[in-house]
Amino acid sequence: MKIVVAIATTGRPHIVGQCLQRFAKFTGELHRLLVIGASPEDAPIPAGEAEFHVARARGLTIQRNHALDLVGEDADILIFVDDDYVPGKGFIDGVRRLFTEHPDIVAASGHLIADGIHDREPLDFAQADALVAAYSPPNDIRMSDETGTYGCNMAFRLAAAPQARFDENLSLYGWLEDTDFSALYARVGRVVRTNSFAGVHLGVRSGRTSGVRLGYSQIANPLYLLRKGTVSARFVMNLASRNFLANLIKSLVPEPGIDRYGRLRGNLLALLDLARGRCDPRRVLEL
């Protein structure tokens, strides 16, 4: 089984370099290890043994599509991970076993030992290394059927949906690009969350899109996906209202490194555009 790992990165060469050092122990098990930047300055430091490529423009969906184009038919499983993700023990073997033993599974997200994106402060690599070292892969493999995958660590059986591509209208940070892309796979097979493979997501804040742009995407992107038919109305209402309320409340006492006021402003701009009939994910390019 040919397994490829692809990492999209922008403006974080030292972060992705640290990530690659953690994946180096799996190079003998991998068919290819790809890093897709938006410019030559995104080349990982240190580069390690990964292939570095530059996409035609900045944007998570554009960069991940570049990885799909590079791989073509020369892979069975393509794993996308964030550039601040640390894989756990037996990561690649766990992916291989899952897709070998369950031919009906077409997409999967692994278990997160920890996810710093939800904390007031992101995790660092030393903390992640300690968490991974203390984690013991389970003997009993569990999985639950899901409607989508989580973008920081998600694996796809490429032959199941060979024409699937990330929607490049979801610009820059690509908010919900993982949900939209995995919905294409959910039409042809099982999408699961499993403990067959695991890792730690640091949740590093640097290099991400601005608070205003992200806040706009938090409203515009789910509405766009609702019109496409890849998410439900309940999903949109729950997610958009939860994010809006979080930004409203937490803007009073914002967390370090999170621009809650900017996100709230972006939410309001999107709602104003919705009232004007011009709410569109690509508007973030003008903000």
Side-chain angles (χ1 to χ4, degrees):
M1 180 175 284
K2 294 180 179 178
I3 299 178
V4 176
V5 169
I7 306 169
T9 187
T10 303
R12 310 202 298 193
H14 292 280
I15 295 294
V16 72
Q18 290 290 307
C19 175
L20 289 177
Q21 287 186 327
R22 274 70 184 176
F23 272 96
K25 60 187 175 184
F26 300 115
T27 51
E29 303 174 62
L30 287 172
H31 183 54
R32 298 171 74 180
L33 177 58
L34 306 175
V35 177
I36 313 298
S39 72
E41 288 71 33
D42 294 326
I45 302 172
E49 299 182 26
E51 301 175 33
F52 176 68
H53 301 268
V54 177
R56 67 182 184 278
R58 179 188 176 194
L60 185 56
T61 54
I62 293 173
Q63 289 166 244
R64 284 183 166 168
N65 279 341
H66 193 82
L68 286 166
D69 293 338
L70 285 169
V71 170
E73 298 180 0
D74 188 32
D76 299 302
I77 306 298
L78 179 55
I79 306 169
F80 291 101
V81 299
D82 281 359
D83 60 4
D84 58 347
Y85 180 83
V86 175
K89 304 167 189 172
F91 181 88
I92 300 302
D93 184 59
V95 172
R96 179 180 289 106
R97 287 180 55 200
L98 177 75
F99 284 95
T100 299
E101 296 173 5
H102 301 276
D104 57 332
I105 292 177
V106 296
S109 295
H111 170 65
L112 284 178
I113 302 166
D115 189 357
I117 201 71
H118 302 302
D119 298 333
R120 287 183 63 85
E121 295 280 357
L123 299 168
D124 59 35
F125 279 102
Q127 291 172 312
D129 289 341
L131 288 165
V132 164
Y135 178 75
S136 297
N139 293 321
D140 58 321
I141 301 303
R142 297 187 302 274
M143 63 189 74
S144 60
D145 288 277
E146 302 286 339
T147 56
T149 52
Y150 186 18
C152 73
N153 73 132
M154 53 186 186
F156 298 92
R157 191 189 302 273
L158 292 182
Q163 304 305 316
R165 289 294 182 271
F166 290 90
D167 190 334
E168 295 183 7
N169 287 330
L170 303 176
S171 305
L172 299 179
Y173 185 55
W175 182 259
L176 294 183
E177 93 297 335
D178 47 2
T179 299
D180 181 60
F181 184 72
S182 56
L184 304 176
Y185 280 80
R187 295 171 182 172
V188 296
R190 291 178 66 195
V191 176
V192 301
R193 182 164 300 217
T194 177
N195 64 352
S196 181
F197 57 99
V200 174
H201 182 217
L202 273 61
V204 175
R205 317 285 198 246
S206 64
R208 295 183 181 271
T209 192
S210 74
V212 174
R213 283 173 162 172
L214 178 55
Y216 192 95
S217 296
Q218 287 177 333
I219 302 297
N221 289 16
L223 289 171
Y224 171 76
L225 297 187
L226 177 63
R227 294 194 293 270
K228 280 185 63 176
T230 52
V231 299
S232 67
R234 175 178 291 184
F235 175 89
V236 172
M237 288 300 297
N238 288 343
L239 183 65
S241 60
R242 188 167 67 243
N243 284 324
F244 179 79
L245 289 173
N247 294 332
L248 178 64
I249 294 169
K250 294 182 180 180
S251 63
L252 302 175
V253 186
E255 310 98 309
I258 299 180
D259 182 10
R260 288 290 180 181
Y261 179 77
R263 291 185 188 184
L264 178 61
R265 182 165 170 253
N267 291 165
L268 294 172
L269 286 172
L271 292 171
L272 181 60
D273 277 355
L274 178 63
R276 293 171 174 170
R278 54 176 290 189
C279 186
D280 188 286
R282 292 166 292 187
R283 275 270 289 146
V284 295
L285 299 172
E286 304 169 15
L287 299 179

